[in-house]
Amino acid sequence: KKKNNLNNLKSQYKIINQKFSKLNKKRSRIIELISGTSNLDTLIAQLGELGKKNNIEFVSIIPKNVISFVDNIPEQNISKNNQQNKLNIDPLLVEGTKKYLIESNFKTEFVNLLSFLRELEFQDNIILIDDINLKLNDQNSEPSQGSILQIKLMMTIYGKL
């Protein structure tokens, strides 16, 4: 009887291990989909390359905040901070990722800005544009095809830890 139980336990152990491996692979895939395959340094270098390619003159790139994933809060703290927790939940911020808030200021023509944004969209990392401010560089001139714009772009970028 004990021998049969041992065989059953071994087969259950194998099944549980297989399920655990599948879940770990899915978890890794989710992290890769959200954070891409590169870290923040690589992404900022890619921003520079995209800028060069699209005739963008960067004035500044300022990391405003970095937010790391925090695991589940104990039950007693949830009731105390329930209101605050509802406001701070980010479904894209998962274990193994960080959320970077970045402000970039640059100058370019409108057509180049559109090309830059289009290429930014196709990066590995999830990049959300929170705010974009456009201002004509020379206030005295009339807007024309080749007018230079000053752009302030606020982005949220998800990357690996």
Side-chain angles (χ1 to χ4, degrees):
K1 184 176 179 179
K2 286 185 179 184
K3 190 175 182 182
N4 287 338
N5 283 343
L6 183 62
N7 286 335
N8 286 340
L9 287 174
K10 282 182 181 180
S11 64
Q12 287 176 357
Y13 175 76
K14 285 181 183 179
I15 291 169
I16 290 171
N17 258 352
Q18 288 171 346
K19 288 181 180 180
F20 183 70
S21 294
K22 285 180 184 178
L23 285 174
N24 267 342
K25 286 178 185 176
K26 285 181 181 179
R27 180 180 154 270
S28 296
R29 183 67 183 139
I30 288 171
I31 290 172
E32 188 178 315
L33 285 173
I34 291 172
S35 65
T37 56
S38 60
N39 60 24
L40 182 64
D41 295 338
T42 307
L43 182 66
I44 289 179
Q46 288 173 339
L47 283 177
E49 289 298 317
L50 290 177
K52 260 190 224 177
K53 185 177 175 183
N54 293 294
N55 297 321
I56 288 178
E57 178 189 335
F58 282 100
V59 176
S60 65
I61 297 177
I62 306 164
K64 291 291 189 179
N65 200 358
V66 177
I67 301 168
S68 298
F69 173 79
V70 178
D71 207 2
N72 293 334
I73 301 170
E75 291 295 323
Q76 62 213 19
N77 290 343
I78 290 177
S79 60
K80 291 178 185 175
N81 298 324
N82 199 18
Q83 196 69 11
Q84 184 182 4
N85 287 334
K86 285 182 184 176
L87 298 174
N88 293 334
I89 294 174
D90 185 346
L92 294 176
L93 191 59
V94 296
E95 186 178 348
T97 62
K98 280 187 179 180
K99 175 176 160 178
Y100 302 95
L101 304 173
I102 296 177
E103 175 186 316
S104 61
N105 295 291
F106 53 91
K107 299 175 184 176
T108 191
E109 294 177 8
F110 185 73
V111 175
N112 295 335
L113 172 64
L114 292 178
S115 297
F116 175 73
L117 292 175
R118 221 173 277 119
E119 288 189 38
L120 194 61
E121 183 179 18
F122 289 108
Q123 296 304 301
D124 283 344
N125 303 66
I126 289 183
I127 301 172
L128 304 175
I129 296 177
D130 299 320
D131 188 27
I132 185 166
N133 271 330
L134 307 175
K135 189 166 59 171
L136 272 175
N137 200 16
D138 186 7
Q139 296 296 337
N140 297 330
S141 68
E142 285 292 315
S144 65
Q145 193 75 8
S147 294
I148 300 294
L149 299 172
Q150 290 181 352
I151 295 109
K152 179 179 178 182
L153 184 64
M154 297 294 293
M155 297 180 283
T156 300
I157 301 172
Y158 293 87
K160 290 185 176 190
L161 284 177

